[in-house]
């Protein structure tokens, strides 16, 4: 067991390397918020950010990054550890791995009109691992 000070130092050092935060914010109060579930060094995440940035002027939105490796985001790490980048728009699952300009425009337009619906295929690695463990225990 680590002393309390050492645990806090580890948590603080991890937090300093965090990529959690607002990448950019829209001035438009009605603009949707896109959450990018990511971690430091995720090159696919950088590509997703580039696509979103390319449509930002035409389809205003705020981009918030959530670092799944932050201690406070363990539930997201459990779900998305094998699948980043994962995107939500206005707190609804949107897409994983990649996004192209056409899908970015479609999703942001639907969100702006409040017509966006949760997409099929949201990953949940933790649930998958629990099911596999149950099968192994039972068989």
């Amino acid at each position: 067991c680590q002393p309390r000070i050492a645990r806090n130092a580890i948590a603080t050092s991890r937090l300093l390397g965090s990529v959690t935060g607002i990448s950019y914010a829209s001035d438009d109060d009605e603009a949707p918020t896109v959450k990018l579930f990511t971690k430091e060094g995720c090159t696919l995440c950088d590509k997703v950010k580039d696509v979103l940035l390319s449509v930002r002027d035409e389809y205003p939105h705020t981009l918030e990054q959530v670092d799944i490796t932050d201690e406070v985001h363990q539930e997201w790490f459990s779900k998305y550890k094998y699948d980043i980048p994962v995107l939500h728009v206005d707190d609804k699952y949107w897409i994983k791995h990649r996004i192209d300009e056409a899908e970015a425009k479609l999703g942001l337009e639907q969100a702006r009109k409040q017509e966006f619906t949760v997409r099929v295929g949201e990953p949940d690695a933790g649930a998958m691992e629990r099911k596999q463990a149950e099968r192994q225990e039972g068989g």
Side-chain angles (χ1 to χ4, degrees):
C1 183
Q2 295 178 330
R4 184 177 196 74
I5 294 171
R7 278 193 304 244
N8 288 342
I10 291 168
T12 301
S13 69
R14 285 197 58 193
L15 200 54
L16 291 175
S18 174
V19 295
T20 293
I22 302 294
S23 291
Y24 52 81
S26 174
D27 293 333
D28 183 345
D29 291 339
E30 295 181 20
T33 296
V34 176
K35 283 188 183 171
L36 169 61
F37 295 87
T38 185
K39 68 178 183 177
E40 181 67 38
C42 174
T43 56
L44 284 177
C45 301
D46 293 339
K47 291 178 182 182
V48 165
K49 285 191 287 188
D50 289 344
V51 170
L52 291 170
L53 191 58
S54 76
V55 301
R56 178 181 175 195
D57 290 340
E58 189 177 355
Y59 296 88
H61 61 280
T62 293
L63 180 61
E64 177 183 351
Q65 295 187 140
V66 178
D67 188 328
I68 66 169
T69 65
D70 289 350
E71 206 168 302
V72 296
H73 297 134
Q74 290 178 356
E75 75 279 7
W76 297 118
F77 180 82
S78 177
K79 287 184 79 160
Y80 298 152
K81 59 187 162 188
Y82 304 129
D83 288 295
I84 60 169
V86 173
L87 292 174
H88 287 194
V89 65
D90 291 337
D91 293 318
K92 297 175 187 164
Y93 172 73
W94 185 5
I95 200 165
K96 65 181 180 181
H97 301 163
R98 290 175 173 73
I99 191 167
D100 60 26
E101 192 173 297
E103 176 57 34
K105 289 177 177 181
L106 176 66
L108 291 167
E109 180 69 18
Q110 289 174 341
R112 183 163 189 82
K113 293 179 177 179
Q114 297 186 357
E115 297 171 355
F116 185 88
T117 56
V118 174
R119 304 299 202 254
V120 175
E122 181 175 11
D124 192 339
M128 179 186 67
E129 289 170 345
R130 286 188 295 278
K131 286 179 187 178
Q132 288 175 340
E134 289 171 5
R135 281 190 223 126
Q136 289 174 350
E137 288 174 5

